[in-house]
Amino acid sequence: MTGGAGMYDFIIIGGGIVGLSTAYALVQKDPLAKVMIIEKEQQLSLHQTGRNSGVIHSGVYYKPGSLKARMAVKGRTSMVNFCRTHHVAHDVCGKVLVATDREEVARMDALYHRVQQNGVTVSKLSRDELSGFEPHVNGIAALHVPQTGIVDYKKVSEKLADLLRDSGVEFSFGSPVVNIEEGSDLVTIETEEKTFRARFFINCAGLQSDRIVKMTGIHTELQIVPFRGEYYKLTEEKSHFVNSLIYPVPNPDFPFLGVHLTKMMDGSVHAGPNAVLSLKREGYKKTDIQWRDMLEVLTFSGFWKMAGQNMKEGTKEMVRSFNKRHFLKSLQRLVPDIMEQDIVTADAGVRAQAMLRNGRLVDDFYMIPGKRSIHVCNAPSPAATASLEIGKEIAERIPERTSVIVS
Ligand SMILES: Cc1cc2nc3c(=O)[nH]c(=O)nc-3n(C[C@H](O)[C@H](O)[C@H](O)COP(=O)(O)OP(=O)(O)OC[C@H]3O[C@@H](n4cnc5c(N)ncnc54)[C@H](O)[C@@H]3O)c2cc1C
């Protein structure tokens, strides 16, 4: 450890959209607060924030009363307002949730009622009305969600970072946090080269967030299990098959599964993502392995319990990953005109999914309080949509200043 000590009111570990939004909320609340963001990479948002579907979700799927439901609904509005105010390109293009058989119509009707509880307005579409929105879609009925939009979350992050710099927030790039001492008056955070001190810190380390928790000595049985989401994209000539966003009706047992077609801000159309175990937390290729990451998953009892309970769905996802034709079949259920030559491999992302030792996936957003810290330990989709609200929530949860240590 070399380098001098810096002293801050707040240190945020992780320069993804949740970390940036948290810093934004903190300086909105107290413009004089001295804030540092520590990021292990040389750039912001290289992981989940820069590798997702770019959807501004509306809050349709989530359990009424959950943090996800509350924050996605409010977060959608905050995100759209932020983009409008700060001129970040976005498009509130709406989406359709398509039922292709009677069973899916029944699920769609159940979802319609849940959606009302979350305060989201949707309308039911007949086959003909659906064709008006998406002429290439094969569906017998659909829900239309007009509030859903798209944005490039990397661009949102860049704008947030500009605003933060203007407010005096500092950044330390290329600085992986390797050790934390959480005392009763102050926190000491060591990176490979520097030491920082703060009154309070917030762990927004995404795929590494459980490791940061463990550095503080907090006992948790929760572990991050990385699930890669792989995408194809439509060739340019076939991008006109999709006008906005086309989703299947979700299976309530596996709401995060089900490949969809998403128009991106650059005009391309992405198809995916699936969900397969990644043997490297930040592994974006099928062949990526990191021994520590792999061993941690394979020796985690929760993983085997989850795998045993969900063998059928897990196998389907693996087959879809290695066999383009199977992936294509899922897409053709929605848009039958798509042929094998119409899709090409696109960049993948990896989800940080928290899992418990009993094999249960943590469904809601989840934060662990420490003595002088808050740890964001489960912030999967729709956390990019909800990020500005997550930031506000964290700023509210931080105990009021008891002593001023920043000179
Ligand atoms: C395939 C996929 C599709 C998705 N689609 C959507 C979508 O359409 N809409 C939506 O709302 N959400 C979506 N999500 C979810 C969304 O991307 C995430 O919820 C969100 O980006 C989480 O942001 P974050 O800041 O918590 O994590 P990240 O963006 O992963 O940021 C964490 C940061 O912490 C840094 N870090 C880690 N360890 C350390 C350390 N030791 N020291 C210093 N820094 C460290 C990392 O380098 C990283 O920059 C998707 C996610 C995936 C993977």
Side-chain angles (χ1 to χ4, degrees), residues 20 44 155-169 171:
L20 294 165
L44 297 168
K155 293 269 180 342
V156 177
S157 299
E158 283 161 14
K159 179 52 73 182
L160 277 167
D162 287 347
L163 296 169
L164 292 172
R165 281 191 195 97
D166 291 347
S167 308
V169 172
F171 292 80

Side-chain angles (χ1 to χ4, degrees), residues 266-285:
D266 64 5
S268 62
V269 173
H270 278 207
N274 59 2
V276 288
L277 177 70
S278 176
L279 299 178
K280 184 176 176 193
R281 290 200 182 194
E282 290 155 5
Y284 301 108
K285 295 200 288 277

Side-chain angles (χ1 to χ4, degrees), residues 53-62 72 76-77 80 90-97 115 120-122 143-151 153 244-247 260-263 385:
S53 301
V55 179
I56 307 176
H57 287 290
S58 54
V60 164
Y61 304 114
Y62 317 111
R76 188 210 79 88
T77 306
V80 170
H90 66 290
D91 182 4
V92 181
C93 52
K95 84 169 171 189
V96 287
L97 279 154
V115 170
V120 184
T121 315
V122 299
L143 290 182
H144 180 239
V145 192
Q147 303 90 333
T148 305
I150 55 172
V151 71
Y153 285 109
S244 60
L245 310 181
I246 303 170
Y247 278 59
H260 45 86
L261 288 143
T262 313
K263 188 171 85 170
T385 304

Side-chain angles (χ1 to χ4, degrees), residues 1-5 178-179 181 188-196:
M1 176 188 73
T2 56
V178 291
N179 192 37
E181 299 287 335
T188 306
I189 298 181
E190 290 174 21
T191 68
E192 280 172 0
E193 295 187 340
K194 294 180 199 150
T195 301
F196 300 92

Side-chain angles (χ1 to χ4, degrees), residues 13-19 38-41 45-57 153 175-177 204-208 212 215 229 231 273 282 349-351 379-386:
I13 303 175
I17 200 159
V18 173
I38 302 180
E39 167 55 53
K40 73 179 166 70
E41 308 291 351
S45 301
L46 277 189
H47 296 296
Q48 295 177 92
T49 301
R51 292 174 163 272
N52 58 40
S53 301
V55 179
I56 307 176
H57 287 290
Y153 285 109
S175 306
V177 170
C204 302
L207 283 152
Q208 313 288 340
I212 299 286
M215 283 181 203
Y231 294 90
E282 290 155 5
V350 179
R351 305 171 181 84
S381 187
T385 304

